């Protein structure tokens, strides 16, 4: 592919992206949330973990009892809810991207090896995929985090080691389709090394599919992290994670339902943004194999 | 046919073996299980006594073979917390999870299949639109949050259903609604796409041309062929409903397997956790294997390709 054609395809993809409603809405929303995560310290009016027991459970601005200092009220320990929500974007996005990176590296490597070599290697890796699919994922993740010690790094490693299956499936299919292509066989004939063939030649050919899987997985991981944190075995207090905030607000569900309504809405918006963006990309780049 | 089934069973057996190894290995993830049981404040002598009492001093392979051997005879070990057989505790709890899982599954199928057929008959019609909205929102809303919000709205504000527990059948309404909500989009999508494929075939056109009423064309000819991919997906979905109920059970305070697993994790009762992971995985393998075999019986074309 020459530079000129590369330039035109890039321009046409950009044009298609701007005319796709899903990409525009999802992308804008996603950009806002990413900006919030990056600039959380500048945007937050208060320290997200500073407690003030004299100002517990203040309601948000639409209430009569609300105070202007705490726009979205405070939680059961008097921490500013708006600041916690803003910082929560960091946890969700950080875990989402971190896990997807780990699982992507594992899954793509396994999938490329299985698809390229076929035969016995393929059998073993396909078997690993089948085994992984039969494990109850939430339970195994809970158990591994509970036993492996609780830190963000453990959480990311555990989920990364569990969620590589979809990456493996798509890259295996892509490698199978490409391994008999002339340019790959030619590279093999001139003695190109295996890493070069797999990662520099086959991988770039499946960029679009991988991008779609990345969006699916980031959304999946964000939901899973919130569920684990909700069950008390994900992100530990006092870190502001949206799932954890929902679980902390649970005791006050009767009188202060906004304590769970707000972080839940935040999760929904983020996941919706990622999904819309990913689905839009899939439409633009052609159908992706799942 | 026989060779297909035996090959499939062989894979299933190997998966079961690997899964059992993985759930066994969980015990060693903490490092030393004896210290985990003794607690961080335990003395070295206590840990040593526990090591001998539980047989942790033996080689790992011996321990695994011992564990899997007793598991095959229906003995999954003793609960460390309750000091009663694990099978007894699980037996008391499994009913709730199975009830919840199966009812949700049937509700999901009863809604998804007719809707999928209707959507296929009129692609991009209003049913198709509603289905899309359900699917998109279902992908973005965390199940535990939907559960909590439904408790707030229907339990607290309107008082229509009990807010927790399964003392009465009403206690199952919200959990079933929430759990089936997540199974519907996939089931519906596959029914829809299967039906769209089938409806464009010649034999359906022939059935229509000979003047067969539409409901007979659908029930006798179309649905029967569209149902093939549904069988595999239904097995996967049922497995996910059973294992996914861990979150829902804890939201609605239902005493099922999922909640038991969660409580056992919080009190480091590992034998119970191991057993539940093993049971749920085996159930999943069983369901997907059955679905594959059922598919091979329903569709002779699949038997050649394994």
């Amino acid at each position: 592919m020459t530079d000129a054609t590369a330039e035109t395809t890039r321009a046409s993809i950009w044009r298609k992206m701007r005319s796709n409603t899903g990409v525009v809405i999802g992308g804008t929303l996603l950009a806002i949330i990413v900006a919030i995560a990056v600039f959380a310290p500048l945007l937050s009016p208060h320290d997200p973990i500073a407690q003030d027991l004299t100002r517990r459970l203040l309601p948000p601005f639409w209430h009569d009892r609300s105070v202007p200092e705490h726009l979205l009220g405070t939680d059961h320990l008097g921490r500013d809810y708006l600041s916690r929500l803003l910082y929560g974007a960091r946890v969700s996005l950080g875990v989402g991207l971190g896990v997807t990176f780990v699982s992507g590296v594992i899954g793509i490597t396994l999938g490329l090896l299985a698809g390229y070599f076929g035969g016995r290697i393929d059998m073993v890796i396909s078997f690993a995929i089948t085994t992984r699919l039969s494990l109850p994922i939430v339970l195994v993740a809970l158990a591994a985090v509970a036993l492996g010690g609780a830190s963000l790094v453990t959480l990311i490693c555990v989920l990364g080691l569990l969620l590589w299956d979809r990456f493996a499936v798509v890259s295996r299919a892509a490698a199978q389709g490409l391994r008999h292509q002339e340019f790959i066989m030619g590279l093999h004939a001139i003695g190109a090394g295996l890493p070069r063939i797999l990662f520099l030649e086959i991988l770039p050919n499946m960029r679009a599919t991988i991008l779609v899987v990345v969006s699916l997985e980031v959304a999946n991981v964000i939901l899973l992290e919130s569920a684990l944190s909700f069950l008390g075995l994900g992100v530990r207090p006092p870190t502001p994670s949206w799932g954890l905030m929902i679980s902390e607000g649970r005791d006050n569900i009767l009188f202060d339902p906004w304590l769970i309504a707000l972080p839940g809405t935040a999760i929904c918006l983020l996941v919706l943004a990622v999904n819309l963006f990913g689905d839009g990309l899939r439409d633009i780049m052609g159908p992706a194999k799942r | 046919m026989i060779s297909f089934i035996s090959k499939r069973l062989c894979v299933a057996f190997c998966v079961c073996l690997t899964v059992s190894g993985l759930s066994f290995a969980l015990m060693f993830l903490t490092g030393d299980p004896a210290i985990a049981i003794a607690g961080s404040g335990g003395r070295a002598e206590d840990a040593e006594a526990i090591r001998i009492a539980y047989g942790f001093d033996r080689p790992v392979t011996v321990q695994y073979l011992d564990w899997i051997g007793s598991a095959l005879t229906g003995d999954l070990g003793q609960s460390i917390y309750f000091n009663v057989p694990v099978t007894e505790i699980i037996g008391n709890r499994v009913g709730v999870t199975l009830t919840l899982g199966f009812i949700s599954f049937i509700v999901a199928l009863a809604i998804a299949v007719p809707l999928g057929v209707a959507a296929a008959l009129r692609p991009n019609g209003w049913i198709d639109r509603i289905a899309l909205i359900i699917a998109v929102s279902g992908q973005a809303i965390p199940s535990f949050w939907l559960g909590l919000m439904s408790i707030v709205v229907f339990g607290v504000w309107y008082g229509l259903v009990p807010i927790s527990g399964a003392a009465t059948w009403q206690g199952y309404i919200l959990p079933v609604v929430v759990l089936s909500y997540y199974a519907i989009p996939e089931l519906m999508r596959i029914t829809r796409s299967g039906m769209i494929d089938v409806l464009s075939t010649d034999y359906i056109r022939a059935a229509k041309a000979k003047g067969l009423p539409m409901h007979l064309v659908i029930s006798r000819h179309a649905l029967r062929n569209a149902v093939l991919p549904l069988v595999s997906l239904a097995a996967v979905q049922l497995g996910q409903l059973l294992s996914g109920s861990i979150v829902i059970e804890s939201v609605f305070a239902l005493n099922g397997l999922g909640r038991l697993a969660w409580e056992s994790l919080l009190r480091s009762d590992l034998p119970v956790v191991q057993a539940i992971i093993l049971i749920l995985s085996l159930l999943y393998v069983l369901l997907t294997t059955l679905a594959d075999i059922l598919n091979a019986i329903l569709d002779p074309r699949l038997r050649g390709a394994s």
Side-chain angles (χ1 to χ4, degrees):
Chain A
M1 196 185 275
T2 64
D3 283 352
T5 54
E7 201 54 48
T8 50
T9 43
R10 198 163 295 160
S12 87
I13 285 177
W14 185 237
R15 206 171 328 111
K16 278 189 201 157
M17 275 174 76
R18 275 184 309 181
S19 60
N20 183 304
T21 346
V23 171
V24 172
I25 298 176
T28 314
L29 203 51
L30 197 56
I32 294 173
I33 298 176
V34 170
I36 286 175
V38 172
F39 299 111
L42 298 176
L43 294 168
S44 301
H46 296 270
D47 182 345
I49 56 172
Q51 303 180 4
D52 182 357
L53 293 177
T54 60
R55 313 191 114 183
R56 296 170 62 235
L57 295 170
L58 289 173
F61 65 87
W62 57 81
H63 245 265
D64 305 334
R65 283 193 299 121
S66 67
V67 293
E69 271 173 69
H70 298 285
L71 206 56
L72 291 181
T74 54
D75 68 2
H76 64 297
L77 295 174
R79 297 175 291 196
D80 182 56
Y81 224 51
L82 175 62
S83 309
R84 287 182 71 72
L85 282 170
L86 296 177
Y87 270 90
R90 288 191 154 187
V91 175
S92 282
L93 280 173
V95 174
L97 292 174
V99 171
T100 307
F101 178 75
V102 175
S103 60
V105 170
I106 299 173
I108 289 170
T109 311
L110 288 178
L112 287 179
L113 288 172
Y116 184 73
F117 287 108
R120 201 163 289 176
I121 295 180
D122 185 29
M123 238 172 70
V124 171
I125 293 175
S126 298
F127 179 74
I129 297 175
T130 317
T131 310
R132 150 56 202 98
L133 286 174
S134 65
L135 290 172
I137 196 82
V138 177
L139 193 48
V140 175
L142 274 179
V145 173
L147 301 175
S151 70
L152 269 180
V153 179
T154 326
L155 185 68
I156 289 172
C157 292
V158 163
L159 291 182
L161 283 170
L162 284 171
L163 294 172
W164 47 268
D165 52 292
R166 205 178 277 163
F167 281 109
V169 170
V170 296
S171 44
R172 173 173 172 267
Q176 269 176 344
L178 286 171
R179 73 172 154 164
H180 293 304
Q181 298 268 317
E182 277 171 13
F183 76 101
I184 297 294
M185 291 168 76
L187 279 166
H188 189 67
I190 61 168
L194 182 64
R196 175 169 170 207
I197 294 180
L198 290 185
F199 293 107
L200 294 182
E201 303 297 336
I202 294 183
L203 192 58
N205 273 293
M206 44 188 271
R207 248 183 324 205
T209 321
I210 294 289
L211 213 58
V212 172
V213 178
V214 164
S215 75
L216 285 170
E217 284 301 322
V218 169
N220 189 11
V221 172
I222 290 169
L223 287 174
L224 199 54
E225 180 272 317
S226 71
L228 295 183
S229 301
F230 171 72
L231 290 172
L233 288 166
V235 175
R236 292 298 152 111
T239 314
S241 144
W242 292 334
L244 189 60
M245 289 165 74
I246 293 176
S247 119
E248 287 168 345
R250 211 177 153 181
D251 295 335
N252 303 88
I253 190 171
L254 283 179
F255 300 109
D256 304 300
W258 50 269
L259 279 176
I260 56 170
L262 290 173
T265 312
I267 301 173
C268 290
L269 282 177
L270 176 54
V271 176
L272 189 69
V274 176
N275 279 339
L276 282 177
F277 191 66
D279 285 351
L281 282 187
R282 177 165 52 190
D283 293 344
I284 291 168
M285 313 231 187
K289 297 183 199 82
R290 282 191 63 184
Chain B
M1 185 68 185
I2 303 283
S3 91
F4 171 79
I5 292 180
S6 56
K7 209 183 273 175
R8 197 62 198 76
L9 286 178
C10 181
V11 172
F13 176 76
C14 294
V15 172
C16 291
L17 213 61
T18 318
V19 165
S20 73
L22 287 175
S23 34
F24 177 77
L26 204 65
M27 191 66 132
F28 295 89
L29 211 69
T30 35
D32 192 339
I35 291 176
I37 294 169
S40 49
R43 292 171 301 165
E45 304 96 87
D46 294 342
E48 192 55 42
I50 288 168
R51 204 167 284 137
I52 292 166
Y54 285 87
F56 293 138
D57 51 344
R58 297 171 300 166
V60 175
T61 43
V62 175
Q63 289 184 51
Y64 171 67
L65 289 176
D66 187 35
W67 182 71
I68 197 77
S70 3
L72 283 175
T73 59
D75 173 16
L76 288 164
Q78 292 277 119
S79 156
I80 294 168
Y81 187 80
F82 293 110
N83 208 19
V84 291
V86 169
T87 40
E88 198 183 306
I89 306 176
I90 288 178
N92 290 335
R93 300 288 199 100
V94 76
V96 174
T97 302
L98 288 181
T99 315
L100 183 60
F102 277 106
I103 297 178
S104 309
F105 181 64
I106 290 166
V107 168
L109 272 184
I111 294 174
V113 174
L115 275 182
V117 172
L121 290 175
R122 214 157 287 161
N124 297 320
W126 60 272
I127 293 183
D128 214 8
R129 294 270 163 77
I130 292 175
L132 186 72
I133 293 173
I134 294 180
V136 170
S137 59
Q139 276 167 359
I141 303 174
S143 60
F144 63 92
W145 187 66
L146 187 64
L148 284 173
M149 293 310 280
S150 67
I151 289 177
V152 171
V153 175
F154 298 108
V156 181
W157 291 357
Y158 292 107
L160 294 175
V161 287
I163 54 174
S164 73
T168 54
W169 63 270
Q170 284 98 331
Y172 277 106
I173 297 177
L174 284 185
V176 164
V177 169
V178 172
L179 207 51
S180 53
Y181 184 78
Y182 288 90
I184 289 173
E186 280 280 280
L187 291 171
M188 187 172 158
R189 197 178 55 83
I190 206 129
T191 312
R192 176 182 179 273
S193 65
M195 278 299 280
I196 286 180
D197 288 348
V198 172
L199 285 175
S200 63
T201 55
D202 286 339
Y203 63 85
I204 293 296
R205 207 169 304 137
K208 277 191 211 160
K210 74 179 178 188
L212 207 60
M214 202 54 197
H215 66 97
L216 285 182
V217 174
I218 293 169
S219 62
R220 240 185 242 168
H221 298 283
L223 197 55
R224 229 176 249 199
N225 286 293
V227 95
L228 287 171
L230 190 65
V231 172
S232 319
L233 182 75
V236 172
Q237 289 288 340
L238 181 55
Q240 282 177 354
L241 281 179
L242 292 174
S243 63
S245 68
I246 177 168
V247 184
I248 296 300
E249 281 172 18
S250 86
V251 168
F252 291 99
L254 297 173
N255 281 318
L257 271 193
R259 190 138 184 264
L260 174 65
W262 178 57
E263 290 167 351
S264 303
L265 268 174
L266 293 182
R267 52 193 177 219
S268 319
D269 198 350
L270 280 184
V272 179
V273 180
Q274 278 180 330
I276 294 174
I277 290 180
L278 187 67
I279 289 172
L280 288 176
S281 313
L282 296 193
L283 214 59
Y284 184 88
V285 175
L286 183 76
L287 286 171
T288 46
T289 312
L290 278 181
D292 281 357
I293 293 174
L294 191 63
N295 257 342
I297 293 169
L298 290 172
D299 187 355
R301 283 170 302 180
L302 289 175
R303 283 172 217 163
S306 60

